[in-house]
Structures are given as structure tokens and as C-alpha cells.
């Protein structure tokens, strides 16, 4: 390839990149624009009970749906849910396909480079789930196992960090596919959130149990980097529902636990736009 050809291709790539960034910026609406429009498009999980799922009536339901509905009410607009696969959550936000993420977004340093997190509003314990008949007391006991996780999820990172050198990590599109992989015998265990026990028991009562807790993560609302209006509006809303008991009621409803104590800060994960 000659020099002129390389320069041309480089210029074409740069032009395409700037065009994509410009298109995303054009699609991104401010808080006031959403209020004028009258509809908030929320990115959410559609198959991860009890965080976000489509119920038997075909409506979006779950913990995140309840919190997002309250937020839309706070803005005085209607809520429109856009169910997203785990790996598609951040791209949907950054390209302007959704206005905001209430999508079980565990707060990680890597994600904080791509999106702006709010203050935490939920806690999530990541654990290993396997058959009761399989004796597991420590990570060393899963050597040689195949373990399923939803790709690009907090479970993926937690399980890979903890046992990836000992076991084979198999990545599936979402939580439902990961759970089905365990039930169908494709994997010997799965890395799941605190609701996996309920879902596995519903599919095969008494067969599976939680074996090892890897870590507790915190979930934040996701907005685009640099959008101070969204970040400040969301944080003010979260402070309000933490203070008036509404978040505690939603937590009790879906998780059957009291509202957790949230950290004031997490290293390298800012809660506010400077």
C-alpha cells in the first residue's frame, strides 16, 4: 500500500469516527429536552429477574423498573423501557439510543471510563452457584470445572478474577442463557447475582445452592460522560428516595432485605461530574 493510499484511508477512518461521535452527540438529549419531549427512554435489563425482566403481562418489571418509573415521575414524563443485553448497555447509552441506564450497572473502574455513574442505589453480591451434590468450600475446589457467566457482566469479572486460572470460564449472552447452561449441563457452575438462587430453585427446586461469595458490588445509574445536568438530577433524585423511604420500600419488595449502607466514595469511580 503506497503512502497516499494509507493517508487516504487514515483520513477516511478519522472522518467516519468524528461522524459517529457527532451523531451520538446529536442524539443525546439534555434533561430539559426530555422534559419538553415528555418521554424518558430507559435502558434496562429484560431477562434478569428480579433486577429487570418482562413479566407475564408483557410489561417491564423489577427493582430497576420501579426505581426508573419513580425517576420519570420526578421529571414529570412518561417512561419508555428499552431492554438491553448485558454487552449492549453502554453502547446504547453512548450512542444516544437510550437516555439513561437503570440496568444493574455494577460500578467498576473500567466502566467509569466510558459512562458517568451516579451515587450507588443498590448492592449486589456475586456468588458461585452449583449443584448441592457438588462439594465446594473454596476456589481451589473448582479446578478443571466449566463455569458459566454472562459476558461483560460483573459476574464475568468477579469469577474470572477469582478462579479463571483454575477453571474454564464460558461466557453467554445474558443471565437467562447462563442459568439455562447450568440446568442443561453445559457448565458445572455459574457466577450469579443474589437472585440466581431464586431463579434456579424455580427451575429445579432443591437442586442448586450458593457455594462461594466472591464480592459485593454496588450499582449506579449510568449517564453519559460530562453531562452534568443528568448526573446532578439523578443524584438529587436518589438522595430524595433514600431519605423518604421509597428506595427502602422497593429494596424490601424485590430483595426482602433492608436498604444497604452505601459507601460515600469508591476509589477511581466518581459519583459526580466535576
Amino acid at each position: 500500500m503506497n503512502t497516499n493510499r494509507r493517508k487516504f484511508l487514515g483520513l477516511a477512518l478519522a472522518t467516519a469516527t468524528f461522524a459517529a461521535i457527532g451523531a451520538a452527540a446529536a442524539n443525546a438529549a439534555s434533561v430539559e429536552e426530555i422534559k419538553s419531549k415528555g418521554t424518558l427512554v430507559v435502558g434496562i435489563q429484560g431477562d434478569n429477574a428480579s433486577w429487570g425482566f418482562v413479566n407475564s403481562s408483557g410489561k417491564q418489571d423489577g427493582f430497576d423498573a420501579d426505581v426508573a418509573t419513580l425517576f420519570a415521575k420526578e421529571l414529570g414524563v412518561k417512561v419508555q423501557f428499552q431492554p438491553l443485553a448485558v454487552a449492549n448497555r453502554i453502547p446504547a447509552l453512548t450512542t444516544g439510543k437510550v437516555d439513561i441506564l437503570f440496568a444493574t450497572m455494577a460500578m467498576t473502574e473500567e466502566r467509569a471510563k466510558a459512562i458517568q455513574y451516579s451515587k450507588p442505589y443498590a448492592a449486589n453480591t456475586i456468588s458461585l452457584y452449583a449443584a448441592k451434590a457438588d462439594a465446594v468450600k473454596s476456589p481451589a475446589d473448582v479446578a478443571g470445572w466449566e463455569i458459566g457467566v454472562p459476558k461483560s457482566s460483573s459476574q464475568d469479572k468477579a469469577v474470572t478474577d477469582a478462579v479463571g486460572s483454575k477453571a474454564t470460564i464460558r461466557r453467554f449472552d445474558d443471565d437467562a442463557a447462563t442459568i439455562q447452561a447450568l440446568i442443561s449441563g453445559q457448565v458445572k457452575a455459574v457466577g450469579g447475582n443474589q437472585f440466581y438462587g431464586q431463579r434456579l430453585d424455580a427451575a429445579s427446586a432443591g437442586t442448586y445452592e450458593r457455594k462461594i461469595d466472591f464480592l459485593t458490588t454496588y450499582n449506579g445509574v449510568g449517564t453519559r460522560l460530562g453531562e452534568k445536568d443528568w448526573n446532578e438530577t439523578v443524584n438529587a433524585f436518589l438522595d430524595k428516595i433514600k431519605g423518604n423511604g421509597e428506595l427502602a420500600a422497593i429494596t424490601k419488595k424485590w430483595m426482602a432485605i433492608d436498604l444497604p449502607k452505601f459507601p460515600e466514595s469508591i476509589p477511581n469511580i466518581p459519583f459526580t461530574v466535576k
Side-chain angles (χ1 to χ4, degrees):
M1 183 182 294
N2 62 39
T3 301
N4 287 338
R5 174 68 170 165
R6 283 196 297 269
K7 288 181 178 178
F8 174 79
L9 290 177
L11 179 60
L13 178 59
T15 301
T17 300
F18 284 123
I21 293 171
N27 289 334
S30 68
V31 173
E32 290 306 314
E33 286 170 336
I34 291 301
K35 288 181 178 180
S36 296
K37 179 182 174 184
T39 301
L40 176 73
V41 181
V42 173
I44 196 167
Q45 289 197 289
D47 63 351
N48 187 10
S50 294
W51 293 105
F53 65 99
V54 178
N55 64 25
S56 57
S57 299
K59 294 183 179 180
Q60 188 72 44
D61 208 350
F63 177 91
D64 278 331
D66 280 1
V67 179
T69 298
L70 275 182
F71 180 62
K73 181 180 178 181
E74 182 76 8
L75 295 184
V77 299
K78 296 179 181 178
V79 63
Q80 176 184 322
F81 289 110
Q82 178 60 57
L84 301 169
V86 169
N88 293 338
R89 292 174 295 180
I90 290 176
L93 176 68
T94 56
T95 59
K97 292 180 180 178
V98 301
D99 299 314
I100 196 168
L101 293 175
F102 286 83
T104 326
M105 294 298 298
M107 304 173 79
T108 70
E109 289 186 37
E110 190 63 29
R111 288 176 180 167
K113 297 174 185 177
I115 65 171
Q116 175 64 52
Y117 278 113
S118 69
K119 298 176 180 180
Y121 70 103
N124 190 10
T125 300
I126 307 302
S127 308
L128 184 80
Y129 291 86
K132 288 184 176 181
D134 293 324
V136 178
K137 299 295 184 183
S138 72
D141 296 329
V142 303
W145 286 26
E146 289 192 337
I147 301 175
V149 295
K151 63 184 178 183
S152 303
S153 65
S154 54
Q155 295 101 290
D156 187 345
K157 177 172 173 48
V159 175
T160 300
D161 288 349
V163 298
S165 62
K166 304 175 181 67
T168 299
I169 310 302
R170 294 190 58 188
R171 295 171 175 85
F172 298 89
D173 285 341
D174 50 37
D175 293 277
T178 303
I179 288 171
Q180 185 56 40
L182 178 59
I183 294 168
S184 64
Q186 296 177 61
V187 296
K188 197 170 177 65
V190 294
N193 62 46
Q194 58 207 31
F195 294 117
Y196 268 45
Q198 299 172 20
R199 297 176 70 177
L200 287 166
D201 208 46
S204 183
T207 302
Y208 304 99
E209 66 182 4
R210 191 172 74 189
K211 299 290 189 180
I212 305 170
D213 291 339
F214 293 120
L215 82 163
T216 296
T217 62
Y218 296 95
N219 295 352
V221 180
T223 56
R224 285 172 287 270
L225 291 173
E227 293 189 336
K228 192 170 185 178
D229 61 336
W230 279 107
N231 176 249
E232 289 181 345
T233 301
V234 172
N235 280 335
F237 161 73
L238 292 177
D239 286 342
K240 178 180 178 179
I241 64 172
K242 287 174 183 177
N244 66 15
E246 288 179 299
L247 185 58
I250 293 172
T251 301
K252 181 70 74 173
K253 171 185 175 181
W254 290 107
M255 303 181 190
I257 62 172
D258 293 332
L259 189 68
K261 181 175 175 58
F262 299 113
E264 292 296 324
S265 63
I266 299 175
N268 301 316
I269 303 176
F271 301 165
T272 59
V273 177
K274 300 299 184 183

